[in-house]
């Protein structure tokens, strides 16, 4: 599968896990089989827009959020902002807030 399918699948997994849901729970809420959810999360299935919309609604996440920051990246280069976004998105809301406060403190230290 394409890198986009893998990235979108990982984002779905991150949102699901941040809610503490199993694949079975997401499957039930989005009216899919748990096997299908697993395949989408691993990037093995190329989900349709309609399927992704059902999954995003079940997660209560705007469909557009699954596609944020995707785009052409020069081969062989790292996209650090995207890596940070992916890292943060897999954390709970509380962990995200703690990490953000830590970054703000580091920024203050840098200015002194």
């Amino acid at each position: 599968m394409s890198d986009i399918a893998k990235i979108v699948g990982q984002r779905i997994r991150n949102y699901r896990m941040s809610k503490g849901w199993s694949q079975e729970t997401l499957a039930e809420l989005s009216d899919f089989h748990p096997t299908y959810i697993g395949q989408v999360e691993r990037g093995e299935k190329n989900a349709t827009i309609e399927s992704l919309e059902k999954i995003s609604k079940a997660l209560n996440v705007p469909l557009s959020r699954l596609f944020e920051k995707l785009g052409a990246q020069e081969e062989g280069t790292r996209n650090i902002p995207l890596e940070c976004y992916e890292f943060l998105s897999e954390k709970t809301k509380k962990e995200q807030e703690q990490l953000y406060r830590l970054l703000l403190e580091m920024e203050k230290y840098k200015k002194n």
Side-chain angles (χ1 to χ4, degrees):
M1 275 297 129
S2 72
D3 285 341
I4 291 175
K6 289 177 184 173
I7 292 168
V8 170
Q10 183 62 50
R11 289 179 180 180
I12 291 168
R13 175 180 283 134
N14 292 344
Y15 286 119
R16 175 182 60 78
M17 292 180 73
S18 73
K19 293 180 179 296
W21 294 355
S22 65
Q23 289 180 343
E24 290 77 12
T25 301
L26 178 57
E28 185 177 316
L29 293 170
S30 59
D31 200 29
F32 288 112
H33 192 277
T35 302
Y36 179 75
I37 296 296
Q39 292 170 327
V40 169
E41 287 185 351
R42 290 187 300 275
E44 296 170 357
K45 283 282 186 188
N46 199 3
T48 65
I49 293 295
E50 289 84 7
S51 297
L52 292 174
E53 180 182 35
K54 287 172 72 173
I55 292 169
S56 71
K57 282 183 179 180
L59 291 167
N60 198 27
V61 171
L63 179 60
S64 62
R65 179 87 39 93
L66 299 178
F67 296 96
E68 282 182 353
K69 312 286 187 227
L70 291 179
Q73 177 71 22
E74 200 173 309
E75 197 165 328
T77 62
R78 290 179 65 189
N79 187 338
I80 301 298
L82 178 59
E83 289 180 39
C84 291
Y85 175 82
E86 297 295 338
F87 176 77
L88 284 173
S89 68
E90 68 187 27
K91 305 298 180 197
T92 65
K93 201 61 138 174
K94 184 177 179 181
E95 290 171 325
Q96 289 174 359
E97 289 170 1
Q98 290 171 338
L99 288 166
Y100 181 68
R101 284 194 303 271
L102 181 62
L103 287 171
L104 291 176
E105 288 299 317
M106 289 173 60
E107 188 66 16
K108 283 185 206 174
Y109 177 75
K110 187 175 99 176
K111 290 180 181 180
N112 292 332

